[in-house]
Amino acid sequence: MSLRYALLAILRVGPLSGYDLQKQFSQSVGHVWHAPDSQIYPELRKMASLGLIEGEEQARGERGTRRVYHVTDAGNAAFEEWMASPLDYQRVRDPAHLRAAYLETTTPEAAREFLTRHIAVWEDELAQFQGQLDAIELMSSTMLSRRLSVTPPANRERTIAYKRFTYEGLAERARTEIDWARRGLELVDRIEG
Amino acid sequence: MSLRYALLAILRVGPLSGYDLQKQFSQSVGHVWHAPDSQIYPELRKMASLGLIEGEEQARGERGTRRVYHVTDAGNAAFEEWMASPLDYQRVRDPAHLRAAYLETTTPEAAREFLTRHIAVWEDELAQFQGQLDAIELMSSTMLSRRLSVTPPANRERTIAYKRFTYEGLAERARTEIDWARRGLELVDRIEG
DNA sequence: GGGAGCATGTAAGCCGTTACATGATTGT
DNA sequence: ACAATCATGTAACGGCTTACATGCTCCC
């Protein structure tokens, strides 16, 4: 259900076509909420049919068209309501820790490969979060500057502060995973050595 | 797809009925992989039809029956293959960080409520993980002792070590979330104060 | 003329959630 | 007799993944 609000969050900044939105998405909110285009387009249509957004057909060249969506008052209200309502936490479903719990059933090599890959995956994530944090410091993130340009000056500080807060949390989580897996490698060496 | 392997992991320790398995599940693997009974029973049937497990009808009282499942050779092979294969990491989908990124769009009260609840939720989780860690130290966890009783002595150390490793990782993640949300509360106080 | 990128989807299938449904057995 | 708990599911629906499908436009 959060996809809807992730899309609203981006559209609230300003009208966008599905295609542009999808690009914005992968560069900003996509870091916390992934969605492929095959999910975005239908969801936009559904949101339009619910009156949360409105699409405007625009000509593009001779025959081409694109639909540019903007958020309606109802859409803004829905977003704000969501922001003020309790978040629903879904149940854990964590393949990595599931596997970790049974590492004694496999070979030391497989255990090491699993942990090494875990480190690599989270180092990748960490690098992306770091990049976003750097962009925030420089205020050069596309999404951020787009958001800032429509944000009254008094709010810019808050906008930046919360974005930094978010990515710092993500970066820390990544570091926690990396540290954990490193300790796991040491453990494998110790008990399988 | 991991549900299947979570179930195999438990059944490999010894035969269980769907009902007992479901209880074991919520007390052990359930901490890393949640599944309701409405998902477990059909999955067991599917696994049986694939030959990964076999169910044996047992009489219970005069009219009652229960099906006790055990892992087949094919099931063991499938589990070991899974343990040795690369884990597939699913894409991020994180409602809490999604909301955090847009906290400037809501009231300070709503922001505080969100963060306070986040702390409470993760403190709950942390308490459970701590409980499991204590149980591991005492070797008094049902599941663990069940596992240990069929584990050759030489492997007991490894079994315990990896289980401790898993829950320490979970506990650290919980602490990371709690610390993050606490810093968030301080941030709210600072910029909305 | 051709390729990169713009633009928008559909379809099948799986996994998971929520709610509903039923009945037997054991202990008090 | 009654409650707790043992025991096993079905049905409907929603979200997400993967693969497929189509055509336009802009620039070189």
Side-chain angles (χ1 to χ4, degrees):
Chain A
M1 258 295 82
S2 297
L3 172 60
R4 174 164 305 171
Y5 301 101
L7 294 174
L8 279 175
I10 299 186
L11 280 179
R12 271 162 55 93
V13 178
L16 283 174
S17 69
Y19 185 82
D20 288 332
L21 189 136
Q22 180 222 117
K23 278 196 306 178
Q24 289 285 344
F25 202 86
S26 60
Q27 286 161 27
S28 59
V29 206
H31 289 122
V32 287
W33 198 275
H34 167 80
D37 16 344
S38 67
Q39 209 188 347
I40 291 177
Y41 286 114
E43 180 64 24
L44 286 172
R45 293 217 157 227
K46 205 187 288 178
M47 288 162 72
S49 81
L50 291 172
L52 303 175
I53 58 177
E54 265 167 19
E56 223 182 320
E57 289 271 338
Q58 283 187 355
R60 179 172 158 269
E62 303 237 336
R63 255 183 305 272
T65 59
R66 53 190 227 134
R67 231 186 321 279
V68 175
Y69 289 102
H70 65 265
V71 178
T72 63
D73 290 349
N76 269 311
F79 181 80
E80 279 155 27
E81 201 185 317
W82 179 73
M83 284 296 299
S85 70
L87 204 60
D88 60 316
Y89 286 80
Q90 61 269 75
R91 311 307 201 89
V92 241
R93 212 163 268 116
D94 182 340
H97 282 74
L98 171 60
R99 181 169 292 187
Y102 295 96
L103 279 182
E104 80 276 5
T105 65
T106 191
T107 63
E109 292 74 39
R112 282 195 195 93
E113 261 166 55
F114 158 62
L115 292 163
T116 306
R117 177 122 184 285
H118 194 74
I119 292 169
V121 166
W122 282 101
E123 272 177 348
D124 254 37
E125 298 273 302
L126 179 56
Q128 293 200 17
F129 299 146
Q130 280 299 353
Q132 287 288 310
L133 282 168
D134 293 346
I136 288 165
E137 294 318 317
L138 291 164
M139 289 198 299
S140 70
S141 155
T142 313
M143 181 58 196
L144 185 58
S145 53
R146 202 171 145 265
R147 253 169 101 190
L148 288 176
S149 66
V150 294
T151 305
N155 277 329
R156 293 193 184 170
E157 198 193 344
R158 299 165 74 233
T159 303
I160 293 177
Y162 287 125
K163 211 168 198 275
R164 185 191 292 124
F165 167 62
T166 301
Y167 280 97
E168 272 170 0
L170 293 169
E172 264 208 45
R173 177 190 296 174
R175 274 182 232 112
T176 304
E177 291 294 329
I178 293 165
D179 289 347
W180 173 70
R182 287 209 178 116
R183 289 201 311 276
L185 281 177
E186 285 166 24
L187 180 64
V188 174
D189 287 344
R190 215 177 315 132
I191 65 181
E192 316 272 10
Chain B
M1 258 294 83
S2 297
L3 172 60
R4 174 164 305 173
Y5 302 102
L7 294 174
L8 279 177
I10 299 186
L11 280 180
R12 268 161 58 92
V13 178
L16 282 174
S17 69
Y19 185 82
D20 289 332
L21 189 136
Q22 182 223 116
K23 278 197 306 179
Q24 289 286 345
F25 202 86
S26 61
Q27 285 161 26
S28 59
V29 206
H31 289 123
V32 288
W33 198 274
H34 167 80
D37 18 344
S38 69
Q39 210 188 347
I40 290 178
Y41 286 113
E43 180 64 24
L44 287 172
R45 295 216 155 228
K46 205 188 287 179
M47 288 161 71
S49 81
L50 292 171
L52 303 175
I53 59 177
E54 265 167 17
E56 223 183 319
E57 289 273 335
Q58 284 188 353
R60 177 171 161 273
E62 305 234 338
R63 256 183 303 273
T65 59
R66 54 189 226 133
R67 230 187 321 280
V68 175
Y69 289 102
H70 65 264
V71 179
T72 62
D73 290 349
N76 269 311
F79 181 81
E80 279 155 26
E81 201 185 318
W82 179 73
M83 283 298 297
S85 70
L87 202 63
D88 60 318
Y89 287 80
Q90 60 268 73
R91 311 304 201 90
V92 241
R93 212 163 268 115
D94 182 340
H97 283 74
L98 171 60
R99 182 169 291 186
Y102 294 96
L103 279 182
E104 81 276 4
T105 65
T106 190
T107 62
E109 292 74 40
R112 281 194 196 94
E113 261 166 56
F114 158 63
L115 292 164
T116 306
R117 177 123 184 284
H118 195 74
I119 291 169
V121 166
W122 282 101
E123 272 176 348
D124 254 36
E125 297 272 302
L126 179 55
Q128 293 200 18
F129 299 146
Q130 279 300 352
Q132 286 289 310
L133 282 169
D134 293 346
I136 289 165
E137 294 319 315
L138 291 165
M139 291 198 297
S140 68
S141 156
T142 313
M143 180 60 196
L144 185 56
S145 53
R146 201 168 147 267
R147 253 169 100 188
L148 287 177
S149 65
V150 294
T151 305
N155 276 328
R156 294 194 183 169
E157 198 194 347
R158 299 165 74 232
T159 303
I160 293 177
Y162 286 127
K163 209 166 200 272
R164 184 190 294 125
F165 167 62
T166 302
Y167 281 98
E168 272 171 1
L170 292 169
E172 262 209 45
R173 178 191 295 175
R175 275 182 231 113
T176 305
E177 291 294 329
I178 293 166
D179 290 347
W180 173 69
R182 287 208 179 119
R183 289 202 311 278
L185 281 176
E186 284 166 23
L187 180 63
V188 174
D189 287 344
R190 212 176 318 129
I191 66 182
E192 316 273 10

